[in-house]
Coordinates of all heavy atoms in Angstrom, one line a residue:
M1 N 156.4 42.5 -14.7 CA 155.6 42.8 -13.6 C 155.0 44.1 -13.7 O 155.6 45.0 -14.3 CB 156.5 42.8 -12.3 CG 157.2 41.5 -12.0 SD 156.3 40.4 -11.0 CE 156.2 41.2 -9.4
F2 N 153.8 44.3 -13.3 CA 153.0 45.5 -13.4 C 152.2 45.6 -12.1 O 151.7 44.6 -11.6 CB 152.1 45.5 -14.6 CG 151.0 46.5 -14.6 CD1 151.3 47.8 -15.0 CD2 149.7 46.2 -14.2 CE1 150.3 48.8 -15.0 CE2 148.8 47.2 -14.1 CZ 149.1 48.5 -14.6
R3 N 152.0 46.9 -11.6 CA 151.2 47.1 -10.5 C 150.6 48.5 -10.6 O 151.3 49.5 -10.9 CB 151.9 47.0 -9.1 CG 151.1 47.3 -7.9 CD 151.9 47.2 -6.6 NE 151.2 47.9 -5.6 CZ 150.4 47.3 -4.7 NH1 150.3 46.0 -4.7 NH2 149.9 48.0 -3.7
M4 N 149.3 48.6 -10.3 CA 148.6 49.9 -10.3 C 147.4 49.8 -9.3 O 146.7 48.8 -9.3 CB 148.0 50.2 -11.6 CG 147.3 51.6 -11.7 SD 146.7 52.0 -13.3 CE 145.0 51.4 -13.1
T5 N 147.3 50.8 -8.4 CA 146.2 50.9 -7.5 C 145.1 51.7 -8.2 O 145.4 52.8 -8.7 CB 146.6 51.5 -6.2 OG1 147.6 50.7 -5.6 CG2 145.4 51.6 -5.2
V6 N 143.9 51.3 -8.3 CA 142.8 52.0 -9.0 C 142.4 53.2 -8.2 O 142.1 53.1 -7.0 CB 141.6 51.0 -9.2 CG1 140.5 51.8 -9.9 CG2 142.0 49.8 -10.0
Q7 N 142.4 54.3 -8.9 CA 141.9 55.6 -8.2 C 140.5 55.9 -8.5 O 139.8 56.4 -7.6 CB 142.8 56.8 -8.7 CG 144.2 56.7 -8.3 CD 145.1 57.8 -8.8 OE1 144.7 58.5 -9.8 NE2 146.3 58.0 -8.2
D8 N 140.0 55.5 -9.7 CA 138.6 55.8 -10.0 C 138.2 54.8 -11.1 O 139.0 54.2 -11.8 CB 138.4 57.2 -10.6 CG 137.0 57.7 -10.5 OD1 136.1 57.0 -10.0 OD2 136.8 58.8 -11.0
V9 N 136.9 54.6 -11.2 CA 136.3 53.7 -12.2 C 135.1 54.3 -12.8 O 134.3 54.9 -12.1 CB 135.9 52.3 -11.5 CG1 135.2 51.4 -12.5 CG2 137.0 51.7 -10.8
F10 N 134.9 54.2 -14.1 CA 133.7 54.7 -14.7 C 133.4 53.8 -15.9 O 134.3 53.1 -16.5 CB 133.8 56.1 -15.1 CG 135.0 56.5 -15.9 CD1 134.8 56.6 -17.3 CD2 136.2 56.8 -15.4 CE1 135.9 57.0 -18.1 CE2 137.3 57.1 -16.2 CZ 137.1 57.2 -17.5
A11 N 132.1 53.8 -16.3 CA 131.7 53.0 -17.5 C 131.5 54.0 -18.7 O 131.0 55.1 -18.5 CB 130.4 52.4 -17.2
I12 N 131.9 53.5 -19.8 CA 131.6 54.2 -21.1 C 130.7 53.4 -21.9 O 131.0 52.3 -22.3 CB 132.9 54.4 -21.9 CG1 133.9 55.2 -21.1 CG2 132.7 55.1 -23.2 CD1 135.3 55.4 -21.7
K13 N 129.5 53.9 -22.1 CA 128.4 53.2 -22.8 C 128.9 52.8 -24.2 O 129.5 53.5 -24.9 CB 127.2 54.1 -22.9 CG 126.0 53.4 -23.3 CD 124.7 54.2 -23.2 CE 123.5 53.4 -23.5 NZ 122.3 54.2 -23.3
G14 N 128.7 51.5 -24.4 CA 129.1 50.9 -25.7 C 130.6 50.5 -25.8 O 131.0 49.9 -26.8
R15 N 131.4 50.9 -24.8 CA 132.8 50.5 -24.9 C 133.2 49.6 -23.8 O 134.0 48.6 -24.0 CB 133.7 51.8 -24.8 CG 133.5 52.6 -26.1 CD 134.7 53.5 -26.4 NE 135.9 52.8 -26.5 CZ 137.1 53.3 -26.3 NH1 137.2 54.5 -25.8 NH2 138.2 52.6 -26.4
G16 N 132.9 49.9 -22.5 CA 133.3 49.0 -21.4 C 133.5 49.8 -20.2 O 133.0 50.9 -20.0
T17 N 134.4 49.3 -19.3 CA 134.7 49.9 -18.0 C 136.1 50.3 -18.0 O 137.0 49.6 -18.4 CB 134.4 48.8 -16.9 OG1 133.0 48.5 -16.9 CG2 134.8 49.4 -15.5
V18 N 136.4 51.5 -17.4 CA 137.7 52.1 -17.4 C 138.1 52.2 -15.9 O 137.4 52.8 -15.1 CB 137.7 53.5 -18.1 CG1 139.1 54.1 -17.9 CG2 137.4 53.3 -19.5
A19 N 139.3 51.7 -15.6 CA 139.9 51.9 -14.3 C 141.1 52.9 -14.5 O 141.9 52.7 -15.4 CB 140.4 50.6 -13.8
T20 N 141.1 53.9 -13.7 CA 142.2 54.9 -13.8 C 143.2 54.8 -12.6 O 142.8 54.4 -11.5 CB 141.7 56.3 -13.9 OG1 141.0 56.6 -12.7 CG2 140.7 56.5 -15.1
G21 N 144.4 55.2 -12.8 CA 145.4 55.3 -11.8 C 146.8 55.5 -12.3 O 146.9 55.8 -13.5
R22 N 147.7 55.5 -11.4 CA 149.1 55.7 -11.8 C 149.9 54.4 -11.7 O 149.8 53.7 -10.7 CB 149.8 56.7 -10.8 CG 151.2 57.1 -11.2 CD 151.7 58.1 -10.2 NE 153.1 58.4 -10.6 CZ 153.5 59.6 -10.7 NH1 152.8 60.7 -10.4 NH2 154.8 59.8 -11.0
V23 N 150.7 54.1 -12.8 CA 151.4 52.8 -12.8 C 152.5 53.0 -11.7 O 153.4 53.8 -11.8 CB 152.1 52.6 -14.2 CG1 152.9 51.3 -14.1 CG2 151.0 52.5 -15.2
E24 N 152.5 52.1 -10.7 CA 153.4 52.1 -9.6 C 154.7 51.5 -10.0 O 155.8 52.0 -9.6 CB 152.8 51.4 -8.4 CG 151.6 52.1 -7.9 CD 150.8 51.3 -6.9 OE1 151.4 50.4 -6.2 OE2 149.6 51.6 -6.8
Y25 N 154.7 50.4 -10.8 CA 155.9 49.9 -11.3 C 155.6 49.0 -12.5 O 154.5 48.5 -12.6 CB 156.9 49.3 -10.3 CG 156.3 48.0 -9.7 CD1 156.3 46.8 -10.3 CD2 155.9 48.1 -8.4 CE1 155.8 45.6 -9.7 CE2 155.4 46.9 -7.7 CZ 155.4 45.7 -8.4 OH 154.9 44.6 -7.8
G26 N 156.6 48.7 -13.3 CA 156.4 47.8 -14.4 C 155.9 48.4 -15.7 O 155.8 49.7 -15.8
Q27 N 155.4 47.6 -16.6 CA 155.0 48.0 -17.9 C 153.7 47.2 -18.3 O 153.6 46.0 -17.9 CB 156.1 47.7 -18.9 CG 155.8 48.2 -20.3 CD 157.0 48.1 -21.2 OE1 158.1 48.5 -20.9 NE2 156.8 47.5 -22.4
L28 N 152.8 47.8 -19.0 CA 151.6 47.2 -19.4 C 151.3 47.5 -20.9 O 151.5 48.6 -21.3 CB 150.4 47.7 -18.5 CG 149.1 47.0 -18.8 CD1 149.1 45.6 -18.3 CD2 148.0 47.8 -18.1
S29 N 150.9 46.5 -21.6 CA 150.6 46.7 -23.0 C 149.2 46.2 -23.3 O 148.6 45.4 -22.6 CB 151.5 45.9 -23.9 OG 152.9 46.3 -23.7
V30 N 148.6 46.8 -24.4 CA 147.3 46.4 -24.8 C 147.4 44.9 -25.2 O 148.3 44.4 -25.8 CB 146.8 47.2 -26.1 CG1 145.5 46.7 -26.6 CG2 146.7 48.7 -25.7
G31 N 146.4 44.1 -24.7 CA 146.3 42.7 -24.9 C 146.9 41.9 -23.8 O 146.7 40.7 -23.7
D32 N 147.6 42.5 -22.9 CA 148.1 41.9 -21.7 C 146.9 41.5 -20.8 O 145.8 42.0 -20.9 CB 149.0 42.8 -20.8 CG 150.4 43.0 -21.4 OD1 150.7 42.3 -22.5 OD2 151.2 43.8 -20.9
Q33 N 147.2 40.6 -19.9 CA 146.2 40.2 -18.9 C 146.6 40.7 -17.5 O 147.8 40.6 -17.2 CB 146.0 38.7 -18.8 CG 145.3 38.2 -20.1 CD 144.8 36.8 -20.0 OE1 145.0 36.1 -19.1 NE2 143.9 36.5 -21.0
V34 N 145.7 41.2 -16.7 CA 145.9 41.7 -15.4 C 145.0 40.9 -14.4 O 143.9 40.4 -14.9 CB 145.7 43.2 -15.2 CG1 146.8 43.9 -16.1 CG2 144.3 43.6 -15.5
R35 N 145.3 40.9 -13.2 CA 144.5 40.4 -12.1 C 144.0 41.5 -11.2 O 144.8 42.4 -10.9 CB 145.2 39.3 -11.3 CG 145.6 38.1 -12.2 CD 146.3 37.1 -11.3 NE 146.7 36.0 -12.1 CZ 146.0 34.9 -12.3 NH1 144.8 34.8 -11.7 NH2 146.4 33.9 -13.1
I36 N 142.8 41.5 -10.8 CA 142.2 42.5 -9.9 C 142.2 41.8 -8.5 O 141.5 40.8 -8.3 CB 140.8 42.9 -10.3 CG1 140.8 43.5 -11.7 CG2 140.2 43.9 -9.3 CD1 139.4 43.6 -12.4
N37 N 143.0 42.3 -7.6 CA 143.1 41.7 -6.3 C 143.4 40.2 -6.3 O 142.8 39.5 -5.6 CB 141.9 42.0 -5.4 CG 141.6 43.5 -5.3 OD1 142.6 44.3 -5.2 ND2 140.4 43.9 -5.2
D38 N 144.3 39.8 -7.2 CA 144.7 38.4 -7.4 C 143.5 37.5 -7.8 O 143.6 36.3 -7.6 CB 145.3 37.9 -6.1 CG 146.7 38.5 -5.8 OD1 147.4 38.8 -6.8 OD2 147.0 38.6 -4.7
G39 N 142.5 38.1 -8.5 CA 141.4 37.3 -9.0 C 141.8 36.7 -10.4 O 143.0 36.7 -10.7
P40 N 140.8 36.3 -11.1 CA 141.1 35.7 -12.4 C 141.6 36.7 -13.4 O 141.3 37.9 -13.3 CB 139.7 35.1 -12.9 CG 138.7 35.8 -12.0 CD 139.4 36.2 -10.8
P41 N 142.4 36.3 -14.4 CA 142.9 37.3 -15.3 C 141.9 37.9 -16.2 O 140.9 37.2 -16.6 CB 143.9 36.4 -16.2 CG 143.6 35.0 -15.9 CD 142.9 34.9 -14.6
V42 N 142.1 39.2 -16.5 CA 141.2 39.9 -17.4 C 142.1 40.6 -18.5 O 143.1 41.2 -18.1 CB 140.4 41.0 -16.6 CG1 139.5 41.7 -17.5 CG2 139.7 40.4 -15.4
Q43 N 141.6 40.6 -19.7 CA 142.4 41.2 -20.8 C 142.3 42.7 -20.8 O 141.2 43.3 -20.7 CB 142.0 40.7 -22.1 CG 142.8 41.2 -23.3 CD 142.6 40.5 -24.6 OE1 142.4 39.3 -24.6 NE2 142.5 41.3 -25.7
V44 N 143.4 43.4 -21.1 CA 143.4 44.9 -21.3 C 143.1 45.1 -22.7 O 143.8 44.7 -23.6 CB 144.8 45.4 -20.9 CG1 144.9 46.9 -21.3 CG2 145.2 45.2 -19.5
D45 N 142.0 45.8 -22.9 CA 141.5 46.1 -24.3 C 142.0 47.4 -24.9 O 142.1 47.6 -26.1 CB 140.0 46.1 -24.4 CG 139.4 44.7 -24.0 OD1 139.9 43.7 -24.7 OD2 138.6 44.5 -23.1
A46 N 142.3 48.4 -24.0 CA 142.9 49.7 -24.5 C 143.5 50.4 -23.3 O 143.2 50.1 -22.2 CB 141.8 50.5 -25.1
I47 N 144.5 51.2 -23.6 CA 145.2 52.1 -22.6 C 145.1 53.5 -23.2 O 145.5 53.7 -24.3 CB 146.6 51.7 -22.4 CG1 146.7 50.2 -21.9 CG2 147.3 52.6 -21.3 CD1 148.1 49.6 -21.9
E48 N 144.7 54.4 -22.3 CA 144.7 55.8 -22.7 C 145.3 56.7 -21.6 O 145.3 56.4 -20.5 CB 143.3 56.3 -23.0 CG 142.6 55.7 -24.2 CD 141.3 56.3 -24.6 OE1 141.0 57.4 -24.0 OE2 140.6 55.8 -25.4
A49 N 146.0 57.8 -22.1 CA 146.5 58.8 -21.2 C 146.2 60.2 -21.8 O 146.6 60.4 -22.9 CB 148.0 58.6 -21.0
F50 N 145.4 61.0 -21.1 CA 145.0 62.3 -21.5 C 144.4 62.2 -22.9 O 144.8 63.0 -23.8 CB 146.2 63.3 -21.5 CG 146.8 63.4 -20.1 CD1 148.0 62.8 -19.8 CD2 146.2 64.1 -19.1 CE1 148.6 62.8 -18.6 CE2 146.7 64.2 -17.9 CZ 147.9 63.5 -17.6
R51 N 143.4 61.3 -23.1 CA 142.7 61.2 -24.3 C 143.5 60.7 -25.5 O 143.1 60.9 -26.7 CB 141.9 62.4 -24.6 CG 140.9 62.8 -23.5 CD 140.0 64.0 -23.9 NE 139.3 64.5 -22.8 CZ 138.1 64.1 -22.5 NH1 137.5 63.2 -23.2 NH2 137.5 64.6 -21.4
K52 N 144.7 60.2 -25.3 CA 145.5 59.7 -26.3 C 145.7 58.2 -26.1 O 146.0 57.7 -25.0 CB 146.9 60.4 -26.3 CG 147.8 59.9 -27.4 CD 149.2 60.5 -27.3 CE 149.1 62.0 -27.7 NZ 150.5 62.6 -27.7
K53 N 145.4 57.4 -27.2 CA 145.6 56.0 -27.1 C 147.0 55.6 -27.1 O 147.9 56.1 -27.8 CB 144.9 55.3 -28.3 CG 143.4 55.4 -28.2 CD 142.7 54.5 -29.3 CE 141.2 54.7 -29.2 NZ 140.5 53.5 -29.3
L54 N 147.4 54.6 -26.2 CA 148.7 54.2 -26.0 C 148.8 52.7 -26.3 O 147.8 52.0 -26.0 CB 149.2 54.4 -24.6 CG 149.2 55.8 -24.1 CD1 149.7 55.9 -22.6 CD2 150.2 56.7 -24.9
D55 N 149.9 52.2 -26.8 CA 150.1 50.8 -26.9 C 150.7 50.2 -25.6 O 150.5 49.0 -25.3 CB 151.1 50.5 -28.1 CG 150.5 50.8 -29.4 OD1 149.2 50.6 -29.6 OD2 151.2 51.2 -30.3
T56 N 151.5 51.0 -24.9 CA 152.2 50.6 -23.7 C 152.2 51.7 -22.7 O 152.3 52.9 -23.0 CB 153.6 50.2 -24.0 OG1 153.6 49.2 -25.1 CG2 154.4 49.7 -22.8
A57 N 152.1 51.3 -21.4 CA 152.2 52.3 -20.3 C 153.4 51.8 -19.4 O 153.6 50.6 -19.3 CB 150.9 52.4 -19.5
A58 N 154.1 52.7 -18.7 CA 155.2 52.4 -17.9 C 155.1 53.1 -16.5 O 154.3 54.0 -16.3 CB 156.5 52.7 -18.6
T59 N 156.0 52.7 -15.7 CA 156.1 53.3 -14.3 C 156.0 54.8 -14.4 O 156.6 55.5 -15.1 CB 157.4 52.9 -13.6 OG1 157.5 51.5 -13.6 CG2 157.5 53.5 -12.2
G60 N 155.1 55.4 -13.5 CA 154.8 56.8 -13.4 C 153.8 57.3 -14.3 O 153.3 58.5 -14.1
D61 N 153.3 56.6 -15.3 CA 152.2 57.1 -16.2 C 150.9 57.1 -15.5 O 150.5 56.1 -14.8 CB 152.1 56.2 -17.4 CG 153.3 56.3 -18.4 OD1 154.1 57.3 -18.2 OD2 153.4 55.4 -19.3
N62 N 150.1 58.1 -15.7 CA 148.7 58.2 -15.3 C 147.9 57.7 -16.4 O 147.9 58.4 -17.5 CB 148.3 59.6 -14.8 CG 149.0 60.0 -13.6 OD1 148.9 59.4 -12.5 ND2 149.8 61.1 -13.6
I63 N 147.1 56.6 -16.2 CA 146.4 56.0 -17.4 C 145.0 55.6 -17.0 O 144.6 55.5 -15.8 CB 147.2 54.7 -17.8 CG1 147.3 53.7 -16.7 CG2 148.6 55.1 -18.4 CD1 147.8 52.3 -17.2
G64 N 144.3 55.3 -18.0 CA 143.0 54.7 -17.9 C 143.1 53.3 -18.7 O 143.6 53.3 -19.8
I65 N 142.6 52.3 -18.1 CA 142.7 50.9 -18.7 C 141.2 50.5 -19.0 O 140.4 50.5 -18.1 CB 143.3 49.9 -17.8 CG1 144.7 50.3 -17.4 CG2 143.3 48.5 -18.5 CD1 145.3 49.5 -16.3
L66 N 141.0 50.2 -20.3 CA 139.6 49.8 -20.7 C 139.5 48.3 -20.7 O 140.4 47.6 -21.2 CB 139.3 50.3 -22.1 CG 138.0 49.8 -22.7 CD1 136.8 50.5 -22.1 CD2 138.0 50.0 -24.2
F67 N 138.4 47.8 -20.0 CA 138.1 46.4 -20.0 C 136.7 46.3 -20.6 O 135.7 46.7 -20.0 CB 138.1 45.9 -18.6 CG 139.3 46.0 -17.8 CD1 139.5 47.1 -16.9 CD2 140.4 45.2 -18.0 CE1 140.7 47.2 -16.2 CE2 141.6 45.3 -17.3 CZ 141.7 46.3 -16.4
R68 N 136.6 45.6 -21.8 CA 135.3 45.4 -22.4 C 134.4 44.4 -21.7 O 133.2 44.5 -21.8 CB 135.5 45.0 -23.9 CG 136.1 46.1 -24.7 CD 135.9 45.8 -26.2 NE 136.4 47.0 -27.0 CZ 137.6 47.0 -27.6 NH1 138.4 46.0 -27.6 NH2 138.0 48.1 -28.2
K69 N 135.0 43.4 -21.1 CA 134.2 42.4 -20.5 C 133.9 42.6 -19.0 O 133.2 41.7 -18.4 CB 135.0 41.0 -20.6 CG 135.1 40.6 -22.1 CD 135.8 39.3 -22.2 CE 135.9 38.9 -23.7 NZ 136.5 37.6 -23.9
L70 N 134.2 43.7 -18.4 CA 133.9 44.0 -17.0 C 132.8 45.0 -16.9 O 132.6 45.8 -17.8 CB 135.1 44.5 -16.3 CG 136.3 43.6 -16.1 CD1 137.4 44.3 -15.3 CD2 136.0 42.3 -15.5
T71 N 132.1 44.9 -15.8 CA 131.1 46.0 -15.5 C 131.7 46.9 -14.4 O 132.7 46.5 -13.8 CB 129.8 45.4 -14.9 OG1 130.1 44.7 -13.7 CG2 129.2 44.4 -15.9
K72 N 131.1 48.0 -14.2 CA 131.6 48.9 -13.1 C 131.7 48.3 -11.8 O 132.5 48.6 -11.0 CB 130.7 50.2 -13.1 CG 131.3 51.3 -12.3 CD 130.6 52.6 -12.4 CE 131.2 53.6 -11.5 NZ 130.5 54.9 -11.5
G73 N 130.8 47.3 -11.5 CA 130.8 46.6 -10.2 C 131.9 45.6 -10.0 O 132.2 45.1 -8.9
D74 N 132.7 45.3 -11.1 CA 133.7 44.3 -11.1 C 135.1 44.9 -10.5 O 136.0 44.1 -10.2 CB 134.0 43.7 -12.4 CG 132.8 42.8 -12.9 OD1 132.1 42.2 -12.1 OD2 132.6 42.7 -14.1
V75 N 135.2 46.2 -10.6 CA 136.4 46.8 -10.1 C 136.1 48.1 -9.4 O 135.1 48.8 -9.8 CB 137.4 47.1 -11.3 CG1 136.8 48.0 -12.4 CG2 138.7 47.6 -10.9
A76 N 136.8 48.4 -8.3 CA 136.5 49.6 -7.5 C 137.8 50.4 -7.1 O 138.9 49.8 -7.2 CB 135.8 49.2 -6.3
A77 N 137.6 51.6 -6.8 CA 138.7 52.4 -6.3 C 139.4 51.7 -5.1 O 138.7 51.1 -4.2 CB 138.2 53.8 -5.8
G78 N 140.7 51.6 -5.1 CA 141.4 50.9 -4.1 C 141.8 49.5 -4.4 O 142.7 48.9 -3.8
D79 N 141.2 49.0 -5.5 CA 141.6 47.6 -6.0 C 143.0 47.7 -6.6 O 143.5 48.8 -7.0 CB 140.7 47.1 -7.1 CG 139.3 46.7 -6.5 OD1 139.2 46.5 -5.3 OD2 138.4 46.4 -7.3
V80 N 143.7 46.6 -6.5 CA 145.1 46.6 -7.0 C 145.1 45.7 -8.3 O 144.7 44.5 -8.3 CB 146.1 46.0 -6.0 CG1 147.5 45.9 -6.6 CG2 146.1 46.9 -4.8
L81 N 145.7 46.2 -9.4 CA 145.8 45.5 -10.6 C 147.3 45.1 -10.7 O 148.2 45.9 -10.6 CB 145.5 46.4 -11.8 CG 144.1 47.0 -11.8 CD1 143.9 47.8 -13.1 CD2 143.0 46.0 -11.7
T82 N 147.5 43.8 -11.0 CA 148.9 43.3 -11.1 C 148.9 42.3 -12.3 O 147.9 41.8 -12.8 CB 149.3 42.5 -9.9 OG1 148.4 41.4 -9.7 CG2 149.4 43.4 -8.7
S83 N 150.2 42.1 -12.8 CA 150.4 41.1 -13.9 C 151.8 40.6 -13.8 O 152.7 41.3 -13.1 CB 150.1 41.7 -15.2 OG 151.2 42.6 -15.6
G84 N 152.1 39.5 -14.4 CA 153.5 39.0 -14.5 C 154.1 38.4 -13.3 O 155.3 38.3 -13.3
G85 N 153.3 38.1 -12.3 CA 153.9 37.5 -11.1 C 153.2 37.8 -9.9 O 152.1 38.5 -9.9
V86 N 153.7 37.4 -8.8 CA 153.1 37.6 -7.5 C 153.7 38.8 -6.8 O 154.9 39.0 -6.8 CB 153.3 36.4 -6.6 CG1 152.6 36.6 -5.2 CG2 152.7 35.1 -7.2
Y87 N 152.8 39.7 -6.3 CA 153.2 40.9 -5.6 C 153.2 40.6 -4.1 O 152.2 40.1 -3.5 CB 152.4 42.1 -5.9 CG 152.7 43.3 -5.0 CD1 153.9 44.0 -5.2 CD2 151.9 43.6 -3.9 CE1 154.2 45.1 -4.4 CE2 152.3 44.6 -3.1 CZ 153.4 45.4 -3.3 OH 153.7 46.4 -2.5
L88 N 154.3 40.8 -3.4 CA 154.3 40.6 -1.9 C 154.5 42.0 -1.3 O 155.4 42.7 -1.6 CB 155.5 39.7 -1.5 CG 155.4 38.3 -2.2 CD1 156.7 37.5 -1.8 CD2 154.2 37.5 -1.7
A89 N 153.6 42.3 -0.4 CA 153.6 43.7 0.2 C 154.7 43.7 1.3 O 155.1 42.8 1.9 CB 152.3 44.0 0.9

């Protein structure tokens, strides 16, 4: 299970869209799929923290998640990214 609320979104020309935030719980790895507000799954293409590429992020990490197939309009601040099951508030 993974959950992160998006704090900011920006586009990197030639790379894709990055959603930033703090991992609220769980673990995320490059290649995993996440859902934005319980929408269709989207693949995680890269994870970075403080300009360093990571293979995995865990609870408490402040990260940026790169999505090559999304545009800046596909994800917004306040959106919730989840994976690995259903989150019940």
Side-chain angles (χ1 to χ4, degrees):
M1 301 270 294
F2 165 83
R3 178 183 163 96
M4 181 182 96
T5 300
V6 177
Q7 293 176 344
D8 199 5
V9 178
F10 55 96
I12 299 176
K13 193 171 188 173
R15 291 207 57 209
T17 299
V18 176
T20 64
R22 183 179 179 132
V23 179
E24 295 167 25
Y25 65 78
Q27 184 172 312
L28 184 70
S29 298
V30 173
D32 286 354
Q33 293 196 344
V34 297
R35 294 179 183 270
I36 302 166
N37 299 328
D38 291 327
V42 182
Q43 181 171 323
V44 173
D45 294 306
I47 302 170
E48 292 190 11
F50 303 105
R51 300 186 191 268
K52 182 184 284 187
K53 290 189 182 221
L54 303 175
D55 293 325
T56 303
T59 302
D61 290 345
N62 290 303
I63 60 170
I65 303 171
L66 175 72
F67 301 102
R68 289 194 178 104
K69 295 184 178 179
L70 296 182
T71 65
K72 190 172 178 183
D74 293 329
V75 60
D79 286 349
V80 177
L81 306 181
T82 57
S83 73
V86 177
Y87 172 76
L88 301 174

